[in-house]
Amino acid sequence: MARFTALSALLLLPVITAEILTPPYFNLATGKKITATATCGDEGPELYCKLVGANADHDERVIQGQVCDICNMTNDAKKHPPEYAVDGMETWWQSPPLSRGMKYNEVNLTIDLGQIIVKCRIEM
Ligand SMILES: *[C@@H]1O[C@H](CO)[C@@H](O)[C@H](O)[C@H]1NC(C)=O
Ligand SMILES: *[C@@H]1O[C@H](CO)[C@@H](O)[C@H](O)[C@H]1NC(C)=O
């Protein structure tokens, strides 16, 4: 959850800001090559949870104040690959749940902007 927040600040905020600010403000990362050291669902379907408040889809379940769903890479509606962090749409990248293992408290997300490579280190 904390990781999701960190990612929002780093990548999604520029998109959100674009709708609020009047001067042109575009997301430099849109459509750029992006990789993550680990992604929710990349080792098979798994449950993840995030804080309620963001968009809760109709089929997501609320468990102890958190919205939970399954990451499923073979299901277009349930996958959250790194590309989704920079597609300029409302889809998102989901880091692996900590239930998979404590080593996933750190995930690196790397965006190749061409001449600049942005590396985000996301820690829980
Ligand atoms: C993952 O998605 C596939 C394709 O839609 C589906 O057959 C499978 O049951 C899903 N797995 C889980 C655990 O939801
Ligand atoms: C993330 O990047 C940092 C800095 O390059 C590196 O020290 C660390 O091992 C990387 N972590 C993972 C999970 O790849």
Side-chain angles (χ1 to χ4, degrees), residues 2 25 28 35 40 52 55 62 68 73-74 106 108 113:
Y25 192 99
L28 286 174
T35 54
C40 181
V52 183
N55 322 320
V62 177
C68 301
M73 287 298 197
T74 62
E106 182 195 292
N108 289 336
L113 296 178

Side-chain angles (χ1 to χ4, degrees), residues 44-46 70-76 78:
E46 60 189 335
I70 288 175
C71 292
N72 187 344
M73 287 298 197
T74 62
N75 182 332
D76 282 346
K78 302 281 180 191

Side-chain angles (χ1 to χ4, degrees), residues 36-38 103-110 119-122:
T37 51
K103 68 172 177 152
Y104 294 102
N105 73 342
E106 182 195 292
V107 177
N108 289 336
L109 195 62
T110 306
K119 194 164 180 178
C120 311
R121 186 171 171 192
I122 297 145

Side-chain angles (χ1 to χ4, degrees), residues 84-95:
Y84 278 13
V86 292
D87 65 0
M89 306 207 282
E90 277 182 49
T91 56
W92 72 93
W93 168 69
Q94 184 68 47
S95 59

